[in-house]
Amino acid sequence: MMPIHHALVLNLHQPLGNLPDLWEHNRWEAKEILFAMDRIPRKLWGFEDVARVHLSLSGTLLESLSDPVFQNRVYGTVDVGSLLWHFQNTSLFEILGTAYYHPVLPLIPEADRKEQLWRWLHIGRHLFWRERFPGFWPPEMGFSMELIPLLAELGYRYVLVDSEHVESVTPMDWPQLRYRPHIARYEGAEIVVVVRDRDLSNAQESGMEPEWFCQEVAERTRWCDFPPLVTTCTDGENGGWFRNVTQGSNFWDAFYLPMLMRARFDAEAPRPIFIGEYLDRYGAHGEVKVHSGAWNTGDHSGHGFTQWTGSTRQKDGLAAIEDLSKQIHDLRWRAGELGRGEAEIQYPLSQALSHLLQAETSCHFYWGEAWMERAEQLLKKAEAELETARESLGDE
């Protein structure tokens, strides 16, 4: 029987300033989130021989966790500085690269995508003490093929995509398509695609028993003539299953730790593995194309990005981002051509760009129109800074 490998992927994200704000105005929810994150390394100590967890942490979350003021504020509840240190344990964790402000990348202007990714790399390299991150987590699993050249340029080996959007180019059956890494190509660039099993991920998000998971995985992979890679991806600090503080009643106590015990003593149990290690052993096979889309949300399938584009106000907000992005990048280019590097121009330009990138946060569009005002206010700030830069440049 072929060994079954399991890649566990957890996404951790909080919008900029959300955790400090919750700490001031909704202390218990802030504690639930911090406890859920702090629980991750603590539950895995002593299981370095079998535990393997992939973590994606947005730049805005890392900004809050690494802020000395916030660290001092929550010290005594969670030692956030030590938490960041524990996440550097390479025996337990493979850190994935992502985009700083957690935008749905296919929905933002191309010029801003690289800014989002570079900004995350800057803070990721600083906090995790490494130059390279092998895998990429697209926020909301929002992916389109035109992202491939950028990801390849920045050195990413593989990207996570949702199973509902993957189509084979090389002939392959259903188990091969879902439980084996593949190659995707676009305009001469290529990257390894690792497929998230949507059904099993849904179960991981809502709560499942080890026995059920083992039986389900065995049944789904029974016809594989290769060592299958079963990949499950969910948020890691949202929902009662992950936030539950009762001993024995959360994801770690009720599911993952019992799974680790099985992996130690049962050769037929799914064995946790880092995706990079799997690729080193078995490689990627066959070519696929990935249709544009995101992971499933509470209301939508992820097709067409409806969660973020369903209303007129959401569409108008994205159109405003497109227009303002062009103005900001055009003025940056013009200032460079004229050799105008003085602070009176460059500082408001950099501020305008930062406000724009922050406005692109997926959460601003996720909740229908409930958070759209946040994006709109940030765009107004960006417009004001842009106007200041224009006046200093003497540009009409």
Side-chain angles (χ1 to χ4, degrees), residues 70-85:
F70 181 71
Q71 290 182 355
N72 290 334
R73 196 173 296 167
V74 303
Y75 190 80
T77 298
V78 168
D79 185 347
V80 176
S82 294
L83 174 62
L84 288 172
W85 174 256

Side-chain angles (χ1 to χ4, degrees), residues 324 328 348 351-356 358-359 374-388:
L324 189 56
I328 291 172
Q351 289 295 99
L353 181 58
S354 291
H355 291 317
L356 171 70
Q358 189 180 339
R374 302 187 183 203
E376 293 160 354
Q377 290 300 319
L378 285 163
L379 292 176
K380 287 180 181 178
K381 290 181 180 180
E383 289 172 350
E385 296 285 2
L386 179 62
E387 186 59 31
T388 299

